[in-house]
Amino acid sequence: AGRSAGAHGPADGGAASRETAAGSRSGCPAEAGLIRRRTPSRESSVSHAAADLFGALPRKSATERGRSLHEALAAVEWLGEGDFTQPAGIDREELDFGEPSPFRDALVRPAGAAELWRERAFETLDGDEWTTGVFDRVVFRIGGGGEPQSAEIFDFKTNRPRSGETPQAFERRMARTYAGQMQAYRRALCRLSAVPPAAVRTTLLLAATRSAVPV
């Protein structure tokens, strides 16, 4: 649900978004060795302070809270500039869209021609490495010829700061933690689109601090 497709990427959010084995095995050393599967979003390790783990139990588990918020954010297509109605399913205490923030700005339709991917599953095969994942949100900027000129990958994160951690320290930690995931997503997007690596930006959208953190 909540997928938007266009002429510059696969028309289907699932199987058609994949760089299939048939399309990428020419020259692939499949017979020389085993293919290694990677899921970048599962490789990032987030540690927790003991005080955070053994403190008072929250009304809703972190996993459940994060899943619910992520699903609600995935349903947002564009926020209308000047009209920031609170999206359905998102509690203002969790993320208030009435307050200006870099997070909110990232969901506003950019000026000029643009194309949006939401919750787009992908698979790519590069040599002996098979990478699978889901782009939370990708905004393509379209040039005069109708081709994508640049892209920005946005990944929603619902992690929370550790006890006593400043917003700045939290954002730096998140950038370090998810750098590998975002690098893998950049490589995948370049293989699935005509956008060169230098024209692809990657950004974490942190719900806890309402910030947009380049990675």
Side-chain angles (χ1 to χ4, degrees), residues 102-154:
F103 190 111
R104 188 183 77 173
D105 292 344
L107 303 183
V108 174
R109 179 188 287 274
E115 181 182 327
L116 175 66
W117 283 3
R118 289 180 290 162
E119 289 295 296
R120 180 65 64 91
F122 69 86
E123 297 182 11
T124 62
L125 188 59
D126 186 6
D128 64 351
E129 187 169 277
W130 174 22
T131 301
T132 66
V134 178
F135 296 118
D136 285 352
R137 187 178 185 90
V138 182
V139 177
F140 293 94
R141 304 300 297 272
I142 309 302
E147 294 297 321
Q149 301 298 303
S150 64
E152 185 163 9
I153 302 170
F154 295 101

Side-chain angles (χ1 to χ4, degrees), residues 135 137 152-155 182 185-186 189 200-203:
F135 296 118
R137 187 178 185 90
E152 185 163 9
I153 302 170
F154 295 101
D155 203 74
M182 302 311 284
Y185 277 26
R186 176 187 283 111
L189 187 69
V200 177
R201 294 188 297 173
T202 59
T203 301

